[in-house]
Amino acid sequence: MVAYSQCQYSGLSPTSMKALEAARGDDRKPWTGEAARIWRNRGKCPLTPNETAFILQALSIPKNTNIYLAAGDGLMEIEGLTSIYSNVVTKSALLSGEDFETMHGNTKAALDYYVSINSDSYMATYFGNMDKMVAAMRAFEGLYKTLFLSRRAFAEFTSRGLEGKLLMEALWKAHKDDFIKGRGSALSDCFCEFKL
């Protein structure tokens, strides 16, 4: 989603920036200046792998947690996430090279959907159509360990200059009401119960 948004991202590697520009094409240029700041502070920008890893750390998610990354393989470097969370699996790692190469977009999305609705827990870094469908199906099936990471809180806190431990504490406070001890939690002593 980062690649298809019109959000401006700083601190990305040249390789990631090149991939973003190629995915966006000529018709989807990022917002700039005040428009970019307003868009981000409204929580409209998907989280990058680095931002996601930072929030997961703020929520004390164990670093050995198995994570299936339901995202576009190869559009962005995920080292910001995998350098902290070593058990990250992508579609391309899950499937043989030939199987992955022959899958088209809808089939890949179906695989992401299947894994997401059947996982022990689900965290969304964006609130797009797929996330809404996954959350609804998980709620229908009684799988309440679903959390939407707050892009707005992250943007607000970072725009105020919070960083390091202060940023982690602020992110914990922003998520703590949704991130409570769950039933049979897959994560130690925490997780959320998503209530409709």
Side-chain angles (χ1 to χ4, degrees):
M1 292 310 301
V2 169
Y4 302 113
S5 74
Q6 288 184 280
C7 297
Q8 192 174 34
Y9 292 94
S10 60
L12 297 179
S13 72
T15 304
S16 286
M17 287 305 299
K18 188 175 179 180
L20 286 177
E21 289 168 9
R24 286 177 172 161
D26 293 331
D27 60 335
R28 198 172 272 217
K29 296 294 180 196
W31 299 105
T32 58
E34 185 65 10
R37 187 193 64 75
I38 290 170
W39 196 249
R40 191 154 183 67
N41 285 348
R42 286 184 181 164
K44 301 293 186 184
C45 295
L47 296 168
T48 67
N50 287 353
E51 294 167 342
T52 300
F54 192 87
I55 296 174
L56 295 180
Q57 286 181 290
L59 300 176
S60 299
I61 303 297
K63 293 180 181 179
N64 64 348
T65 299
N66 293 321
I67 298 173
Y68 175 78
L69 187 61
D73 276 344
L75 283 181
M76 204 171 183
E77 296 169 18
I78 61 170
E79 286 79 14
L81 181 64
T82 58
S83 65
I84 297 166
Y85 292 91
S86 56
N87 296 330
V88 176
V89 178
T90 61
K91 288 180 283 296
S92 59
L94 193 63
L95 301 168
S96 71
E98 184 179 322
D99 288 338
F100 182 75
E101 295 295 323
T102 59
M103 290 181 88
H104 55 80
N106 289 341
T107 309
K108 291 177 182 177
L111 176 60
D112 286 344
Y113 178 78
Y114 181 81
V115 172
S116 296
I117 63 170
N118 289 294
S119 63
D120 292 332
S121 54
Y122 178 76
M123 286 189 177
T125 61
Y126 190 67
F127 195 53
N129 291 335
M130 175 72 101
D131 300 305
K132 292 171 188 171
M133 291 187 313
V134 168
M137 182 55 77
R138 288 178 61 79
F140 178 75
E141 295 290 332
L143 303 169
Y144 296 109
K145 295 177 196 167
T146 302
L147 180 67
F148 291 93
L149 301 181
S150 179
R151 301 173 315 277
R152 180 178 288 187
F154 186 85
E156 179 186 329
F157 299 146
T158 54
S159 71
R160 282 199 248 153
L162 293 181
E163 54 187 28
K165 188 175 181 182
L166 289 176
L167 179 56
M168 283 193 171
E169 289 171 0
L171 288 167
W172 169 250
K173 289 176 185 173
H175 289 90
K176 73 177 181 179
D177 289 340
D178 294 328
F179 197 79
I180 59 174
K181 193 168 185 175
R183 296 174 294 226
S185 181
L187 303 174
S188 59
D189 298 329
C190 64
F191 215 62
C192 71
E193 287 193 35
F194 186 75
K195 296 180 183 175
L196 297 176

